[in-house]
Structure formats: structure tokens, C-alpha cells
Amino acid sequence: EEMPASVEEHVLGAERDERVRRALAELSAEQQTIIRLSYFSEKSQSDIAAELGIPLGTVKSRTRLAINRLRTLLEDQT
């Protein structure tokens, strides 16, 4: 039987989610789209390229740039 998460875990989770949302808002529209499709919709990079009508290499480079930017933004928030 799973124990319910503590209030502290809920608060920390909500704070983390808010930090990620703020960091995502700092990305370019193109990067936000790639991250949302990749991580929230769990689409493959090939599927994203086909859906957006852009080359796979562009999806890969935007993903890499977005992840690096998010990492920097989240580190700056700590």
C-alpha cells in the first residue's frame, strides 16, 4: 500500500513545476514547441520533424539548444 505524499513533497513538487514553467517561458517559441512535443507529448524527434515540416537535424539542434538553455535557467534559479 502506497503512503500518500507528504505536504512537503507536494510543495516541493509544485515549486519545481513552477520553476520549470518559468524557465520554459524564457525559451523561444520554436524551442518551447519542440520541448512540449518531445517531453510532454512524448513524440519522437522524427515525428516532430514530420509534424512541423522541418528537417530532423533542425529538431535535434533545437532540442539540444533548448535543453542547454533550460539547464542554465534552472541553475540560475537555485
Side-chain angles (χ1 to χ4, degrees):
E1 182 176 23
E2 272 190 42
M3 297 294 291
S6 71
V7 171
E8 182 180 22
E9 287 171 330
H10 280 298
V11 169
L12 291 174
E15 286 177 1
R16 183 189 61 239
D17 291 349
E18 179 57 29
R19 287 176 58 217
V20 170
R21 272 194 289 279
R22 281 197 309 263
L24 277 170
E26 297 290 322
L27 298 179
S28 70
E30 292 88 359
Q31 290 175 341
Q32 286 182 37
T33 299
I34 297 282
I35 294 297
R36 286 198 172 95
L37 290 172
S38 182
Y39 292 95
F40 299 113
S41 299
E42 298 182 3
K43 295 188 181 216
S44 71
Q45 291 184 327
S46 298
D47 288 343
I48 294 168
E51 185 173 321
L52 298 179
I54 58 177
L56 180 58
T58 301
V59 173
K60 290 181 178 190
S61 63
R62 284 184 187 168
T63 301
R64 186 175 60 254
L65 291 169
I67 294 299
N68 289 339
R69 179 88 172 112
L70 282 174
R71 186 175 294 123
T72 300
L73 290 165
L74 290 169
E75 286 172 355
D76 289 349
Q77 289 181 16
T78 56

